[in-house]
């Protein structure tokens, strides 16, 4: 079953503005990750936040995690046209021992940054 | 050098045919995956292999058969293709063990069944 729900489904902003995307999930997690997908391309990993972390930064990206609410947000500051893409959250379940990971992806937010 | 490469990138075929998609990674990763992305961009895990051993099989119809000849390759064979199999199929890989692994994805193989 689908683990992550993201909102908004689509977001359109002007270059220079900040973009915030939210992700909610259902079960206990080991970590939560965010990925970007440009049109017609594969997904690219952006940032990982562990279940015992509340906030993480990477360049213009800021991720928060609230495990009590089972939610995360991704903030992109000072957006650029090149940030136009779909953004997905993905959760890694607690207790998975099969080797590697078992990421379950959210529904994605389509971000459009206009000049 | 492409880290995770899939072939073919595009595949158009008739219902009932059998087709294969190949995936290779040169990252030295232990675990490889197949994900399916539908027309609404929903991404669903299908299979994972760790060191050639099947780890995840997410109730995929048995018309789909993955094969991992070695840990750098994971192929997907689909028998008796149906219209609903039309999607983009992504291969991915990760290093093993800790659970805090990130995935490296291929560029995708777009399958269209007519």
């Amino acid at each position: 079953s689908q683990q992550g729900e993201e909102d908004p489904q689509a977001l359109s902003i002007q270059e220079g503005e900040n973009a915030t995307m939210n992700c909610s999930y259902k079960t206990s997690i080991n970590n939560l990750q965010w990925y970007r997908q440009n049109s017609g391309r594969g997904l690219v990993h952006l940032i990982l936040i562990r279940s015992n972390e509340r906030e993480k930064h990477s360049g213009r990206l800021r991720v928060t995690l609230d495990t009590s609410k089972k939610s995360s947000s991704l903030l992109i500051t000072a957006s650029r046209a090149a940030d136009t893409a779909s953004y997905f959250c993905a959760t890694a379940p607690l207790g998975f021992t099969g080797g590697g990971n078992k990421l379950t992806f959210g529904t994605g937010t389509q971000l459009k940054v206009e000049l | 050098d492409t880290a995770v490469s899939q072939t073919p990138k595009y595949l158009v075929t008739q219902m009932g045919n059998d087709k294969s998609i190949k995936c290779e990674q040169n990252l030295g990763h232990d675990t490889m995956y197949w994900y399916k992305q539908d027309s609404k961009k929903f991404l669903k895990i299908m299979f994972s292999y760790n060191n050639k051993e099947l780890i995840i099989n997410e109730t995929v119809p048995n018309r789909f058969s993955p094969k991992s000849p070695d840990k750098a390759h994971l192929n997907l064979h689909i028998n008796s293709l149906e219209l609903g199999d039309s999607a983009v199929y992504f291969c991915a890989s990760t290093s093993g063990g800790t659970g805090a692994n990130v995935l490296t994805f291929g560029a995708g193989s777009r399958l269209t069944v007519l």
Side-chain angles (χ1 to χ4, degrees):
Chain A
S1 64
Q2 191 172 308
Q3 168 73 312
E5 297 279 347
E6 293 178 62
D7 82 275
Q9 283 190 319
L11 180 60
S12 184
I13 59 174
Q14 298 292 314
E15 205 173 42
E17 293 180 339
N18 296 342
T20 300
M21 289 157 258
N22 302 297
C23 168
S24 60
Y25 58 92
K26 294 175 185 169
T27 59
S28 297
I29 62 170
N30 177 297
N31 64 79
L32 185 144
Q33 303 178 24
W34 285 88
Y35 287 78
R36 183 187 74 225
Q37 183 180 31
N38 289 86
S39 181
R41 311 289 287 272
L43 283 78
V44 174
H45 177 257
L46 295 175
I47 193 165
L48 179 154
I49 186 165
R50 296 176 190 269
S51 60
N52 61 354
E53 297 176 312
R54 291 296 163 257
E55 189 170 311
K56 203 155 180 187
H57 297 254
S58 176
R60 293 184 296 113
L61 305 180
R62 174 180 166 249
V63 170
T64 61
L65 179 64
D66 186 335
T67 52
S68 67
K69 293 181 180 176
K70 291 187 168 58
S71 68
S72 173
S73 68
L74 171 68
L75 168 68
I76 304 173
T77 59
S79 63
R80 304 166 182 167
D83 294 329
T84 295
S86 293
Y87 292 81
F88 294 87
C89 68
T91 51
L94 197 61
F96 180 75
T97 58
N101 217 333
K102 186 183 177 183
L103 289 184
T104 302
F105 283 81
T107 49
T109 293
Q110 288 191 297
L111 173 67
K112 184 174 182 182
V113 181
E114 300 188 84
L115 295 169
Chain B
D1 274 350
T2 305
V4 180
S5 58
Q6 302 178 223
T7 54
K9 190 169 173 62
Y10 299 99
L11 190 51
V12 181
T13 189
Q14 301 287 328
M15 264 197 315
N17 284 351
D18 303 338
K19 290 294 177 188
S20 292
I21 307 171
K22 295 186 175 182
C23 180
E24 175 181 4
Q25 53 95 3
N26 62 6
L27 298 166
H29 287 166
D30 298 315
T31 307
M32 296 183 71
Y33 305 80
W34 281 110
Y35 277 82
K36 178 181 179 181
Q37 187 172 47
D38 64 22
S39 58
K40 294 183 180 176
K41 290 202 167 183
F42 177 49
L43 201 66
K44 183 172 166 53
I45 190 167
M46 299 173 70
F47 301 103
S48 80
Y49 272 74
N50 180 262
N51 280 317
K52 302 195 298 175
E53 181 186 349
L54 180 65
I55 301 297
I56 298 171
N57 182 343
E58 284 290 291
T59 60
V60 177
N62 58 16
R63 297 183 296 103
F64 291 78
S65 51
K67 277 208 171 74
S68 182
D70 55 60
K71 72 174 193 176
H73 295 85
L74 180 61
N75 304 323
L76 183 65
H77 188 76
I78 316 170
N79 290 329
S80 304
L81 279 156
E82 300 177 358
L83 292 177
D85 297 332
S86 294
V88 182
Y89 292 85
F90 286 98
C91 178
S93 70
T94 189
S95 56
T98 67
N101 319 86
V102 304
L103 268 57
T104 302
F105 281 83
S109 297
R110 181 176 293 275
L111 172 64
T112 303
V113 182
L114 303 175

